Amino acid sequence: MYEGAIQDLIDELGRLPGVGPKSAQRIAFHVLSADPADVNRLATALRKVKDLVRFCTTCFNVAESEQCRVCRDPRRTNEVLCVVEEPKDVVAIERTGEFRGRYHVLGGAINPLEGIGPDNLKIRELLFRVGTGEVKELILATDPNTEGEATATYLALLIKPMGLTVTRLASGLPVGGDLEYADEITLGRAFEGRRAV
């Protein structure tokens, strides 16, 4: 334990996701020894993100105006809607350069153990968007874990009766991977998602 401001900084850093006590201490001492201009830039960036960044009123991605850049882009198609858990998932998909539709960010996944149910997510807003008749296909791009699968299944059951095509991202073996190192679930999904060549 340290005293005063340094301990306060360690405590606050330790509250960040993925930052344990040792990492928090290391970051705090880095900040302490850093150039004051660097520390001021960091503080300014933190203030700016809290002051300027909000959630898009259409898709709930991060934005600095009412709508995010994807929702403002007239070249994107409204017929395909990709549902993701978090804004970071939008960035991951955008990096591929393969998707030209729109997004809907749920703000998480169904997780009863954490007290997160459908009412805690942006599902009502999703139903409103698909109810307009513009959307023809809904791509469920939730994480391939228990919570993501539960969320995708729940959404598919809700939306399929509306007559939309509902698809799920394929999952399986990574490029450059070896079969012998793949777990049974990943290998099983790779077999299920196989395609003709």
Side-chain angles (χ1 to χ4, degrees):
M1 294 288 276
Y2 299 91
E3 58 181 271
I6 193 73
Q7 187 60 49
D8 292 344
L9 180 58
I10 291 169
D11 292 343
E12 290 304 313
L13 290 168
R15 293 176 53 199
L16 295 172
V19 179
K22 291 280 187 199
S23 293
Q25 182 178 323
R26 213 170 11 260
I27 296 168
F29 279 100
H30 172 78
V31 168
L32 187 61
S33 64
D35 183 76
D38 293 340
V39 175
N40 284 333
R41 270 197 311 279
L42 175 61
T44 300
L46 289 170
R47 276 192 295 280
K48 277 177 74 175
V49 80
K50 284 307 289 177
D51 292 343
L52 300 177
V53 178
R54 60 185 120 190
F55 293 102
C56 175
T57 57
T58 303
C59 74
F60 307 99
N61 189 14
V62 290
E64 287 193 13
S65 60
E66 191 170 316
Q67 286 191 316
C68 70
R69 82 180 155 73
V70 174
C71 289
R72 289 191 316 263
D73 187 347
R75 297 169 299 175
R76 310 288 292 227
T77 178
N78 292 326
E79 293 186 355
V80 183
L81 192 62
C82 182
V83 179
V84 297
E85 292 179 24
E86 302 290 344
K88 62 182 172 54
D89 302 324
V90 172
V91 173
I93 293 169
E94 284 297 290
R95 275 196 316 257
T96 69
E98 297 291 323
F99 183 66
R100 299 302 306 153
R102 306 279 182 186
Y103 293 95
H104 188 86
V105 180
L106 295 171
I110 296 171
N111 186 345
L113 296 176
E114 298 284 327
I116 301 170
D119 292 339
N120 303 108
L121 305 175
K122 301 293 184 190
I123 293 175
R124 214 175 356 265
E125 294 84 351
L126 173 63
L127 293 175
F128 177 78
R129 287 182 77 187
V130 298
T132 64
E134 273 190 287
V135 179
K136 305 291 183 238
E137 179 184 1
L138 192 75
I139 301 171
L140 301 174
T142 54
D143 290 342
N145 57 26
T146 306
E147 295 82 10
E149 292 293 337
T151 305
T153 301
Y154 178 82
L155 292 174
L157 291 171
L158 274 180
I159 292 168
K160 272 188 181 177
M162 298 171 85
L164 273 76
T165 300
V166 179
T167 59
R168 181 92 169 104
L169 286 185
S171 60
L173 300 170
V175 174
D178 291 321
L179 288 180
E180 67 179 299
Y181 299 118
D183 62 272
E184 295 82 13
I185 294 171
T186 302
L187 199 51
R189 286 189 181 153
F191 269 97
E192 288 173 10
R194 68 189 185 277
R195 55 190 166 89
V197 291

